[in-house]
Amino acid sequence: MQRRVLIIGGGFAGVQAAKVLGNQKGLDVTLLTPHPQLEYHGALYRTVTGRSPLEVVLPFHEIFTEQPSLTVVNDFMVELRPHVHEVRGESGRVYPYDDLLLCLGYEIAYFGIPGMQEHSETVYTIFDSLRLRNRLRDTFLSHAGREVKISIVGAGPSGVEVAGDLGTFAGLVAERYDKQPAKPVVTLVERAPRVLPMFSEEASWLAGERLGALGVELKLTTAVNACHLHHLTVNETEKLPADIVIWTAGSRASSFFEKHPALFSLDQRKKVEVSEFLQANDEDTYVLGDAASTQFSGMAQTAIYDGTFVAENLIRRAKGEAMLPYQPKPPVYVVPIGPDWAVAQEGDKVVSGEAGWAVRREADLMVLRTFLPEEKAQLHWKQGLETAKF
Ligand SMILES: Cc1cc2nc3c(=O)[nH]c(=O)nc-3n(C[C@H](O)[C@H](O)[C@H](O)COP(=O)(O)OP(=O)(O)OC[C@H]3O[C@@H](n4cnc5c(N)ncnc54)[C@H](O)[C@@H]3O)c2cc1C
């Protein structure tokens, strides 16, 4: 009997596990995913600001080239029956398993802010990002030569990346459509007293200076109370006019786990508590990536690491060897801000400017190489700096 490994979710963790396990003899591996591609989120901001989406979209047929034990099924898990080791998909199909890898990632969260979901744009998937890009293009064209007020809520990496690149996009739109450039007036609204609050103070300061030099207004220590069609309400009574609001302030671990309190224990961040082997609920169920309560979850680098970790442990166990315990791996943080500039932080070490940008481009290529053969990785990577047809 081949051991059946069922992987749910085709993000970084699930795809990495499928890649490693899919070329193992003696395993029957199924990847259940609603999409036919992996999305490289690190490059999403460049899709928003007019660069080719091909750096973001990595089709599975380019990734799974040497995985004879792997079957990819386009479906969405709607029910987990751990007592009989089965999952039911939206299609009605039932998937039995011996080992289950839950790689469900994150979801967007609006924290109940009135009007935010209805009136704001986001950058969490390729579809959100293309929609926002098209709205920006249309607004820049209808405001040629005039101001466009854009408020970005959340000065974490995504908000900062988009804020730093909007001026470039206004220029690209003007050039392509032979119009006067619109003048984006960008405000970055953040509850914390500094941008990139999860970074060191030095990295935050460098990022703040860079954003200032690019003309981005910082509104720090500012709580957003509501979002309306043409303005935000902040600090209870203040009105902040905005032609476009971009929400980058909230994501949370998949809500699937919260709906099954009898099966999963959650930490304060609503992430699933896991054993030293990333198991949850029983010893055949693993939770990987953003949804797992590990020290560095919330980063693609961690999700990839988790995918390799669980896959290699399953291979060890199949060989009759002992599984190894999880050792959290600190990620490198790199945030691009405007053309050819990034701030990078590894431990206490911070680099910025063109040197930071070089670190970032190297990191982009490294992620693509993890999943694609060299030639394809180079192709997607180079396309990421090319202007799209928008
Ligand atoms: C704009 C943006 C920029 C980012 N930039 C970086 C960066 O530069 N560096 C970095 O390290 N990290 C970055 N991240 C974070 C990174 O994208 C996440 O940490 C990473 O995606 C987590 O991987 P994952 O496999 O846990 O989940 P995901 O990548 O979210 O994948 C989960 C998958 O599971 C699927 N799924 C969910 N529920 C089900 C179900 N019931 N049935 C079937 N499938 C299901 C989802 O559709 C999704 O495809 C960024 C995130 C965003 C949004």
Side-chain angles (χ1 to χ4, degrees):
M1 273 285 283
Q2 290 192 321
R3 200 162 169 91
R4 295 160 306 179
V5 181
L6 180 60
I7 304 170
I8 314 288
F12 291 95
V15 171
Q16 178 61 6
K19 218 173 167 249
V20 177
L21 291 169
N23 61 17
Q24 292 296 310
K25 288 194 184 120
L27 290 181
D28 173 5
V29 184
T30 301
L31 173 63
L32 203 79
T33 161
H35 311 296
Q37 82 257 352
L38 172 67
E39 289 182 13
Y40 174 44
H41 298 132
L44 274 175
Y45 84 94
R46 288 199 282 273
T47 297
V48 170
T49 53
R51 263 51 66 84
S52 169
L54 291 172
E55 192 180 3
V56 174
V57 177
L58 315 181
F60 288 150
H61 66 84
E62 289 185 7
I63 296 177
F64 299 125
T65 50
E66 292 167 8
Q67 278 69 28
S69 308
L70 174 69
T71 308
V72 179
V73 180
N74 282 125
D75 205 348
F76 191 82
M77 173 181 68
V78 289
E79 191 185 349
L80 169 60
R81 304 167 181 156
H83 46 292
V84 284
H85 276 46
E86 275 178 7
V87 156
R88 190 169 61 82
E90 205 171 34
S91 65
R93 275 183 69 182
V94 170
Y95 304 90
Y97 64 83
D98 297 306
D99 292 300
L100 178 67
L101 276 54
L102 295 172
C103 311
L104 309 186
Y106 62 85
E107 292 173 1
I108 187 159
Y110 294 96
F111 307 122
I113 298 177
M116 192 55 81
Q117 185 164 1
E118 293 82 348
H119 301 306
S120 70
E121 305 285 345
T122 66
V123 291
Y124 287 97
T125 67
I126 189 68
F127 306 107
D128 302 333
S129 303
L130 287 169
R131 197 177 75 160
L132 172 56
R133 182 197 71 184
N134 293 346
R135 182 165 168 198
L136 285 164
R137 175 201 59 203
D138 295 346
T139 312
F140 288 160
L141 287 173
S142 64
H143 287 64
R146 292 186 289 131
E147 286 188 351
V148 176
K149 290 191 170 60
I150 302 169
S151 286
I152 302 177
V153 186
S158 305
V160 166
E161 286 170 359
V162 173
D165 224 24
L166 286 171
T168 304
F169 187 45
L172 289 176
V173 172
E175 202 176 302
R176 167 140 304 166
Y177 291 89
D178 198 18
K179 293 255 191 181
Q180 259 194 293
K183 298 171 188 158
V185 178
V186 183
T187 307
L188 196 49
V189 186
E190 169 60 49
R191 182 188 284 270
R194 56 190 175 98
V195 299
L196 301 178
M198 66 294 284
F199 284 51
S200 70
E201 292 203 4
E202 182 190 358
S204 281
W205 184 83
L206 288 163
E209 289 291 296
R210 169 70 172 167
L211 287 163
L214 291 168
V216 175
E217 191 199 336
L218 304 182
K219 224 169 156 35
L220 304 171
T221 327
T222 299
V224 174
N225 310 108
C227 181
H228 310 270
L229 200 53
H230 296 297
H231 73 273
L232 286 171
T233 305
V234 300
N235 294 333
E236 304 294 344
T237 52
E238 203 182 322
K239 200 169 159 180
L240 191 64
D243 298 299
I244 298 178
V245 173
I246 304 173
W247 172 256
T248 64
S251 63
R252 46 152 300 169
S254 164
S255 55
F256 177 85
F257 300 102
E258 208 176 351
K259 291 176 193 142
H260 296 85
L263 301 180
F264 303 102
S265 305
L266 305 186
D267 70 9
Q268 281 182 336
R269 301 174 296 165
K270 303 212 186 296
K271 296 190 178 216
V272 181
E273 284 174 351
V274 285
S275 74
E276 58 179 340
F277 305 119
L278 299 191
Q279 293 150 322
N281 183 47
D282 60 43
E283 61 174 27
D284 299 323
T285 304
Y286 299 80
V287 177
L288 293 69
D290 273 17
S293 175
T294 58
Q295 192 177 352
F296 301 111
S297 75
M299 298 292 290
Q301 299 158 64
T302 304
I304 295 169
Y305 178 75
D306 291 1
T308 310
F309 168 79
V310 171
E312 288 181 348
N313 258 350
L314 292 185
I315 294 167
R316 272 188 204 100
R317 200 190 51 191
K319 289 181 185 161
E321 297 168 12
M323 299 207 292
L324 297 180
Y326 188 74
Q327 305 287 345
K329 184 172 177 222
V332 180
Y333 301 96
V334 200
V335 180
I337 313 178
D340 303 333
W341 199 102
V343 58
Q345 181 184 318
E346 185 174 12
D348 294 339
K349 198 173 157 218
V350 176
V351 288
S352 64
E354 283 184 8
W357 176 245
V359 174
R360 175 55 189 232
R361 286 304 281 158
E362 194 52 43
D364 289 335
L365 183 56
M366 220 166 73
V367 173
L368 299 178
R369 275 180 177 147
T370 305
F371 295 104
L372 298 171
E374 181 62 24
E375 203 181 314
K376 293 271 184 202
Q378 290 276 354
L379 197 68
H380 281 266
W381 185 67
K382 284 181 187 143
Q383 277 165 332
L385 295 189
E386 286 172 12
T387 308
K389 292 192 175 75
F390 51 77

